[in-house]
Amino acid sequence: MPQLTSYRSLFRIPGTAAFTLGNLVARLPMGMFGVSAVVMIAGVRGSYALAGAVTATGLAATGLAGPWTARLTDRYGQARVAVPATLTAVAGSLALLLCVRFDAPAWTLFAAYAATAATPNIGGLSRARWAHLLREDPDALHTANSFEQAADELCFMLGPVLASFLTGTFFPEAGTLIGAVLLLTGMLLFTAQRATEPPPSPRSTAPSPFRTRGVPPLLATFLATGAIFGSLEVVTIAYADAHGHRAAAGAILALQAAGSCAAGLLYGALKPTGSPARLLPWCLLAMTVLMTLPWLTAAALGALPPLAAALLLAGMATAPTMVTAMTLLQTHTPPDRLNEGMSLAVTSLLTGIACGSATGGWAVEHLGAGTAYALPAGAAALALLINTATRLGATAPRDAALRSSTTA
């Protein structure tokens, strides 16, 4: 099949299969940590608001620290920076586990989880390798970006299921413990593949991606998109808990990620025509429409099976949106600051996830889990509005200049 051939050709490049395997092992915990922390803290402390606030703090801290870690990575190389950063993040996860286990004061939970901010942008490290290896082949790079987004979704599909299984079957801290082990193991395997590592750029003269034309509006779009993910996770866990099936929350969230994973792989194989700038508004529109389905389903039917189906459909818009936005970001970012540019995107996503997580926890406790599903739909609409306003703002000066030249 031509679809499979597109992906097969990526892994004919020497070293790509090895670094991808290590990266996937390290990336799987990214789908585990949020659910593990929420279940662990809410189960022991009895408060979804506290759980949401703690995870939001960790994500916000990661958003602040991420660009600095990425800048060091661009300057000194992936292996020299990612390993010590990962060790620091693992120490923070283990500290959180111990604080919850031994009933430490609430403030220690925030401090421990904030230490996980050192976690490297694992997906960004892999995307930077693909961008380095495929810099002369845009079509292959589109396929690689689609694969990476599908890998993100696969990890966020399997991660919550694994976290729910571990925390429900063994003990509340099991998800965090296993996640920390996987993160460290995968990162050591990934960084050991030195042949595919992009060369460091110790004296880059390129401006910061944050000051590059076209990047700030994209970061705002990533921010709103992150709010979708953050609110969706907390609200779904609470909704399943309210229906007496909290252990099923991971499986339900996995369906949303499964829809996104399948759509991402198809999107990468089809190679849609049109520039990323033209495709992104349509992706955002589709995401806005589909994200209303969980809200309407929860309000109208109030049952888990229909909600799971709605989340599966809603997820089908997220991967194409993320692939298109990330590809557009890569076109705006100087090559020797690519890790930093993608880290800024992840920072925006994590900040949005933090806001969505905290807002979702508040909405669940004050409005009810069913009504709280309005938050992901609203965040999707906000992302579309930001993109629309940006495009209108960009075309207005060109239209004015055209009218002026015509009049002259």
Side-chain angles (χ1 to χ4, degrees), residues 127 145-146 149-150 152-154 156 221-222 224-230 232 253-265 267 280 282-291 294 310-326 349 376 380:
R127 287 179 174 91
N145 281 333
S146 298
Q149 188 59 42
D152 279 340
E153 302 300 342
L154 180 64
F156 279 100
T221 302
F222 280 119
T225 305
I228 299 172
F229 303 145
L232 201 63
L253 287 169
L255 285 175
Q256 186 265 339
S260 184
C261 179
L265 289 173
Y267 189 67
L280 185 57
W282 294 102
C283 293
L284 290 170
L285 177 60
M287 186 168 66
T288 301
V289 172
L290 291 178
M291 278 297 163
L311 286 171
L312 175 66
L313 292 174
M316 297 181 73
T318 57
T321 301
M322 292 296 297
V323 170
T324 305
M326 195 64 75
L349 279 169

Side-chain angles (χ1 to χ4, degrees), residues 29 32-33 36-37 97 162-164 166-167 171-180:
M32 296 174 60
F33 284 135
S36 296
L97 183 155
L162 180 57
S164 297
L166 292 170
T167 55
F171 47 92
E173 301 86 359
T176 299
L177 177 61
I178 298 301

